[in-house]
Amino acid sequence: MNEFDLDQSKIRDFNAALHNPSKATDQSTWKVTNTKGRHAIAVGINSALNLQIDGHVGYYCAGMNQKANVTINGHCGAGVAENMMSGTVTVKGNASQYAGATAHGGLLIIEGDASSRCGISMKGIDIVVKGNIGHMSAFMAQTGRLVVCGDAGDALGDSLYEARLYVRGKVASLGADCIEKPMKEEHKTELKELLERANITDINVEEFHRYGSARTLYNFNIDNVGSY
Amino acid sequence: MCGIVGLFSKSNKIESQLGHYLSEMLLEMTERGPDSAGIAVYRNPTDNGHTKLTVLCPKDDYNWKKVSTDLSHHYDGEVAFEVRGNQATFIVPGSEEGISNWFNQTHPELMLISSGSTIEIYKATGLPTRVIEKFNIRELTGTHALGHTRMATESAVTTHHSHPFSTGEDICLVHNGSLSNHNRLRRILSKKGIVFHTDNDSEVAAGYIASRLLQGDDLDQALEAALHDLDGFYTFAVGTKDGFAVMRDPIACKPAIIAETEDWVAMSSEYRAISVLPGAKDATTWEPEPSKIYSWKH
């Protein structure tokens, strides 16, 4: 176990250790304490390590993550797992604005609520939120899946491309070009698999509604459907 | 960008260290606002029929004793005063009415920055650490306090343009964001008798709230009206004699977080400013929703 106390070490040194290929080996275990809302913790990891973050974190925690499995035992500031490429980031508390923004891959699990702009411009990430999400979530979301077990705020999926949105509770309002779509068997299967990956076993997929793009705002071409 | 902080005591546990905790919070917001910093603290209420004034002089080593004597003559009674840095707080036996004009006429070099029964405001250009030392903020006791670190975006970097702004008795406001209709609002409010000292947008927000309170609104009603009349981006923290409120605009671009324990409520632009408080780790912590007013009262 590699342990860092951010009252004793600089975040820069901690992040550098996480980037050091001789230390940050696959399956190595890491723990960081006294995070106290500090910014840019565990940004840019590029190996399949396991990291436990004890405490609340500031902006951009676990941004650009590749391969790593990161658990945050606390709340997150803005931009958790921003631009994540792969791996898993689990937030035990609430997340602030633009969680998982522009992320290309991996899985982001938020066990509490997420604030506004959750999954903004997502490009392939899967996001599962056990609580509610705020306004303007999945704005211009291009691909990937966003699952919300609670309610969604105003203007969900505004200017949406091909991301698929599943919401169990109420949606305050849909954004431009976002519409409700039928839940087919393939969607139920996909949703069930996502919930299982987030360790959610007590919620029935039948309770969800699916939302997607009406495809009137952008030049959707059916010939290119395979690339989405 | 700017940093705002607020700390409101619910029990009396932190009142004796209010200035210390507010200073710690303000220091965490240094990077968000290195241009100037300021605080408003609610402390030591005056006796009935007395008014507390905080006055600022651009020069250090000012002859405050002379002002005290002049105020004694003006009010025909004993005046108490306390000096902090280049500012002084006066307790005068009388109402606030006309005192701003009196300062303009008799001491044009001075600026009245707050008045009421409990409020005191201290502010200056420079880093929070400088401002905290200059005014000895750490030793201040009180029931609630607000703080601001400024990164100027729309008007000059001077002490007068620094937050907190007070435009009414015991009212003050700190702001992170920018208002787009402040010039028009300033004209409207000026006609109603609200006096502005700068071209700063946040001062207009403080003036707007003061104007609503004067019309008989309570703080929640004043903020509700502000949601309709103020155009722009904002997270506000507002203090009154016995109240504290937080509100974000309908888009909620500007960050804010609130934490609450049995002993205190705190708000800040970022969690790290709250992390310095006793019991922060186990506090109920949440992000305020857009267009929603959060308020507390003693």
Side-chain angles (χ1 to χ4, degrees):
Chain A
M1 170 83 83
N2 301 279
E3 285 197 42
F4 277 79
D5 175 346
L6 291 185
D7 276 350
Q8 308 297 326
S9 312
K10 289 181 180 166
I11 291 175
R12 217 168 255 262
D13 294 338
F14 171 59
N15 284 345
L18 287 171
H19 302 160
N20 182 340
S22 63
K23 284 186 182 168
T25 51
D26 288 356
Q27 306 312 318
S28 58
T29 55
W30 296 69
K31 185 176 164 179
V32 62
T33 55
N34 282 319
T35 50
K36 296 183 176 172
R38 292 176 166 111
H39 299 326
I41 293 172
V43 164
I45 305 177
N46 194 16
S47 54
L49 54 82
N50 293 299
L51 168 64
Q52 178 185 328
I53 298 174
D54 284 342
H56 306 317
V57 294
Y59 293 2
Y60 311 120
C61 183
M64 300 183 284
N65 181 49
Q66 299 201 79
K67 304 177 194 165
N69 178 24
V70 179
T71 302
I72 301 154
N73 291 315
H75 301 310
C76 284
V80 61
E82 187 185 55
N83 217 61
M84 176 156 70
M85 303 304 285
S86 60
T88 304
V89 173
T90 306
V91 181
K92 294 288 183 183
N94 301 329
S96 182
Q97 303 181 72
Y98 42 95
T102 74
H104 289 249
L107 173 66
L108 170 63
I109 302 162
I110 297 163
E111 298 198 353
D113 297 328
S115 171
S116 61
R117 306 170 183 91
C118 178
I120 184 170
S121 195
M122 52 195 271
K123 297 180 172 73
I125 188 178
D126 290 324
I127 303 175
V128 180
V129 182
K130 283 194 186 174
N132 306 323
I133 60 170
H135 63 279
M136 292 303 283
S137 289
F139 175 58
M140 293 185 79
Q142 287 141 60
T143 181
R145 285 85 52 97
L146 170 64
V147 178
V148 185
C149 299
D151 301 333
D154 276 315
L156 176 72
D158 194 287
S159 308
L160 192 65
Y161 292 81
E162 291 305 307
R164 289 192 287 282
L165 318 179
Y166 299 98
V167 183
R168 180 164 163 248
K170 280 178 274 178
V171 174
S173 65
L174 292 173
D177 213 33
C178 182
I179 53 169
E180 185 172 349
K181 293 184 168 185
M183 278 287 272
K184 297 178 187 163
E185 277 314 308
E186 69 205 69
H187 302 118
K188 290 177 190 168
T189 309
E190 164 175 271
L191 179 57
K192 192 164 183 293
E193 187 251 348
L194 283 165
L195 289 171
E196 277 168 7
R197 281 173 64 201
N199 294 316
I200 298 170
T201 51
D202 57 343
I203 295 179
N204 189 343
V205 294
E206 302 292 339
E207 295 171 26
F208 284 80
H209 295 264
R210 179 170 75 101
Y211 304 90
S213 174
R215 296 168 179 156
T216 59
L217 272 182
Y218 76 102
N219 295 318
F220 176 78
N221 185 338
I222 193 67
D223 294 337
N224 299 330
V225 73
S227 355
Y228 295 119
Chain B
M1 197 150 71
C2 287
I4 57 180
V5 299
L7 182 57
F8 184 83
S9 158
K10 285 171 68 184
S11 68
N12 55 9
K13 272 195 183 157
I14 59 160
E15 291 183 2
S16 61
Q17 290 176 283
L18 192 79
H20 167 75
Y21 287 126
L22 194 82
S23 299
E24 291 294 313
M25 293 178 83
L26 209 59
L27 286 171
E28 286 291 332
M29 293 295 94
T30 299
E31 293 89 343
R32 295 190 66 91
D35 291 337
S36 64
I39 67 131
V41 61
Y42 292 84
R43 65 195 297 261
N44 301 346
T46 55
D47 295 334
N48 271 349
H50 286 65
T51 304
K52 191 195 280 192
L53 311 166
T54 328
V55 184
L56 181 152
C57 175
K59 290 184 296 185
D60 288 332
D61 302 324
Y62 187 74
N63 185 1
W64 292 108
K65 179 79 190 133
K66 165 88 169 61
V67 183
S68 168
T69 311
D70 292 351
L71 277 168
S72 289
H73 291 143
H74 178 72
Y75 281 101
D76 197 16
E78 202 175 313
V79 170
F81 75 103
E82 185 184 70
V83 178
R84 287 180 185 277
N86 61 329
Q87 290 188 208
T89 304
F90 295 92
I91 313 269
V92 297
S95 77
E96 182 253 6
E97 211 174 319
I99 195 64
S100 193
N101 283 339
W102 181 85
F103 272 107
N104 285 342
Q105 282 160 16
T106 60
H107 295 279
E109 70 282 13
L110 300 179
M111 185 180 169
L112 181 65
I113 55 173
S114 78
S115 64
S117 60
T118 57
I119 192 172
E120 295 172 24
I121 287 179
Y122 300 99
K123 56 187 182 180
T125 54
L127 293 173
T129 182
R130 173 177 176 264
V131 176
I132 290 163
E133 270 174 44
K134 186 182 174 89
F135 300 114
N136 237 332
I137 303 297
R138 283 183 190 277
E139 68 170 26
L140 296 177
T141 58
T143 52
H144 51 302
L146 302 174
H148 187 270
T149 62
R150 180 167 187 240
M151 188 179 283
T153 52
E154 54 66 59
S155 59
V157 178
T158 72
T159 299
H160 291 183
H161 286 83
S162 310
H163 300 223
F165 286 104
S166 178
T167 48
E169 283 192 57
D170 285 317
I171 301 158
C172 85
L173 172 138
V174 288
H175 172 209
N176 173 203
S178 59
L179 301 175
S180 45
N181 63 342
H182 62 101
N183 283 326
R184 188 173 58 82
L185 268 178
R186 190 184 292 105
R187 281 198 298 276
I188 294 168
L189 292 167
S190 295
K191 282 181 190 162
K192 289 183 180 173
I194 303 287
V195 178
F196 295 99
H197 298 284
T198 72
D199 56 350
N200 182 281
D201 59 340
S202 312
E203 190 184 14
V204 174
Y208 178 85
I209 288 161
S211 150
R212 298 295 308 198
L213 294 176
L214 282 173
Q215 284 172 39
D217 279 6
D218 64 22
L219 184 55
D220 284 23
Q221 288 167 328
L223 288 170
E224 186 70 47
L227 277 171
H228 298 287
D229 289 339
L230 298 183
D231 187 15
F233 300 118
Y234 48 84
T235 294
F236 291 134
V238 181
T240 63
K241 187 178 169 183
D242 52 2
F244 169 64
V246 177
M247 185 176 78
R248 300 172 85 190
D249 70 69
I251 307 290
C253 279
K254 296 297 174 187
I257 188 149
I258 302 178
E260 185 166 13
T261 68
E262 281 181 7
D263 298 320
W264 48 261
V265 176
M267 82 76 58
S268 178
S269 300
E270 295 177 25
Y271 176 78
R272 58 188 166 134
I274 288 170
S275 74
V276 299
L277 299 174
K281 218 172 168 183
D282 301 315
T284 308
T285 306
W286 74 97
E287 184 171 324
E289 288 179 27
S291 307
K292 191 167 167 179
I293 298 155
Y294 298 83
S295 65
W296 290 266
K297 214 169 174 199
H298 279 131

